[in-house]
């Protein structure tokens, strides 16, 4: 059993490595295929320098040819992908694996692009909303088509309103377009409860990260990406959804 999970974990590390490439290239408009290279010196990487986690550790986080720092996002994304997908195999009903595999992968790509460039790709958000509708219609997600549609609309509207309020009151862009699209996508996979739970948990995690960054950088207003925290909030939701529904049931 343990051995099987270990093997799957390793396979998912490789998948995470591919999602890194997707995230890196999707916001630059490059093709997803073709050999990996160092973004600093453009040297093509040998296969033994692209082994998930291991290569990063062996190279001590630096490129073999130019010695520039390799973004720690690479091993972090690989590890998070493997952890989330292995937990999915353990805790989530088999009939929902395909749907959540897509959802988790999309979330991981978003974490990568938003942390790196404060960008969230519409291929990932808008592209997956109709997929969630189809999956829920086919009973491959634990919600009905109507719940999926309502979740997407709710997710979009709630952040759209927040963004416009922010703009009206303080005349600043508090919320990016990408965050609005992202919560709509999260809502399409998790329904209204999923969308607002993700928003609540995401805001909480975002505020903590903001405080930590302020303490570390001593800047009064660090620019923080909100998307990754929304995604992490939604990951917590999909694993604890039963408990969350039981918790809020008496109030509705
Ligand atoms: Zn290099």
């Amino acid at each position: 059993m343990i051995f099987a999970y270990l093997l799957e974990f390793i396979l998912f590390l490789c998948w995470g490595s591919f999602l890194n490439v997707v995230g890196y290239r999707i916001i630059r408009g490059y093709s997803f295929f073709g050999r990996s290279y160092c973004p600093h010196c453009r040297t093509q990487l040998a296969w033994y320098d692209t082994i998930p986690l291991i290569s990063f550790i062996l190279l001590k986080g630096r490129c073999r040819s130019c010695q520039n720092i390799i973004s720690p996002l690479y091993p972090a994304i690989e590890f998070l992908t493997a952890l989330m997908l292995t937990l999915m195999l353990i805790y989530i009903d088999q009939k929902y694996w395909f749907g959540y595999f897509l959802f988790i992968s999309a979330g991981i790509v978003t974490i990568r692009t938003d942390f790196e460039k404060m960008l969230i790709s519409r291929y990932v958000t808008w592209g997956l909303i109709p997929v969630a509708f189809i999956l829920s219609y086919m009973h491959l997600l634990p919600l009905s088509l109507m719940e999926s549609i309502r979740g997407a609309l709710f997710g979009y509207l709630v952040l759209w309103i927040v963004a416009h309020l922010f703009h009206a009151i303080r005349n600043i862009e508090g919320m990016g377009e990408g965050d609005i699209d992202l919560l709509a996508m999260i809502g399409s996979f998790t329904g209204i409860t999923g969308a607002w739970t993700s928003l609540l948990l995401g805001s909480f995690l975002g505020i903590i990260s903001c405080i930590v960054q302020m303490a570390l950088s001593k800047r009064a207003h660090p620019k923080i990406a909100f998307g990754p925290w929304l995604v992490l909030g939604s990951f917590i939701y999909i694993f604890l959804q039963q408990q969350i529904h039981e918790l809020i049931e008496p109030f509705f």
Side-chain angles (χ1 to χ4, degrees):
M1 204 61 176
I2 294 287
F3 181 73
Y5 284 135
L6 192 68
L7 197 71
E8 279 148 0
F9 188 87
I10 292 168
L11 279 175
F12 290 143
L13 278 177
C14 300
W15 180 246
S17 178
F18 177 68
L19 294 181
N20 262 318
V21 174
V22 172
Y24 181 83
R25 298 187 184 184
I26 204 168
I27 47 174
R28 293 170 173 84
Y30 300 160
S31 155
F32 296 153
F33 303 98
R35 294 283 298 277
S36 293
Y37 51 83
C38 166
H40 304 289
C41 65
R42 309 250 143 202
T43 308
Q44 278 204 348
L45 303 181
W47 66 268
Y48 48 81
D49 285 341
T50 58
I51 304 164
L53 289 187
I54 311 288
S55 294
F56 186 86
I57 296 166
L58 289 181
L59 290 168
K60 299 194 181 73
R62 286 177 184 278
C63 167
R64 190 184 291 278
S65 17
C66 69
Q67 295 297 313
N68 268 304
I69 289 171
I70 303 168
S71 167
L73 269 175
Y74 283 94
I77 290 286
E78 285 157 0
F79 181 76
L80 186 68
T81 308
L83 182 69
M84 287 300 130
L85 290 174
T86 308
L87 286 176
M88 177 190 82
L89 297 187
I90 299 171
Y91 290 110
I92 289 180
D93 195 330
Q94 194 172 351
K95 62 181 181 238
Y96 304 134
W97 282 358
F98 179 65
Y100 282 135
F101 174 77
L102 292 180
F103 179 66
I104 291 171
S105 300
I108 298 272
V109 170
T110 300
I111 291 179
R112 163 89 213 202
T113 61
D114 206 14
F115 264 139
E116 191 188 339
K117 288 255 178 197
M118 306 274 291
L119 280 174
I120 295 174
S121 168
R122 285 210 162 137
Y123 290 114
V124 177
T125 53
W126 287 22
L128 275 180
I129 291 172
V131 174
F133 293 163
I134 296 167
L135 291 172
S136 52
Y137 178 73
M138 292 169 71
H139 307 290
L140 295 175
L141 282 174
L143 76 173
S144 68
L145 173 60
M146 263 329 278
E147 287 170 323
S148 171
I149 294 172
R150 270 191 247 136
L153 287 174
F154 173 84
Y156 192 87
L157 274 179
V158 76
L159 275 194
W160 186 89
I161 292 168
V162 170
H164 283 75
L165 276 180
F166 245 103
H167 197 75
I169 297 169
R170 304 188 52 189
N171 203 23
I172 50 166
E173 300 281 342
M175 196 73 61
E177 282 281 321
D179 297 322
I180 303 176
D181 302 336
L182 175 62
L183 197 61
M185 189 275 276
I186 290 172
S188 72
F189 276 82
T190 60
I192 291 180
T193 316
W196 70 252
T197 310
S198 307
L199 181 59
L200 215 69
L201 292 172
S203 307
F204 179 69
L205 294 171
I207 288 169
I208 293 178
S209 92
C210 202
I211 293 170
V212 170
Q213 279 188 48
M214 270 172 13
L216 291 179
S217 75
K218 302 197 166 63
R219 263 168 62 193
H221 297 284
K223 248 176 111 67
I224 70 149
F226 186 38
W229 308 110
L230 278 179
V231 169
L232 289 179
S234 75
F235 287 175
I236 296 172
Y237 173 80
I238 59 174
F239 288 111
L240 297 177
Q241 50 186 313
Q242 214 162 354
Q243 289 83 339
I244 290 168
H245 279 273
E246 278 165 22
L247 200 71
I248 62 166
E249 203 120 285
F251 302 101
F252 288 94

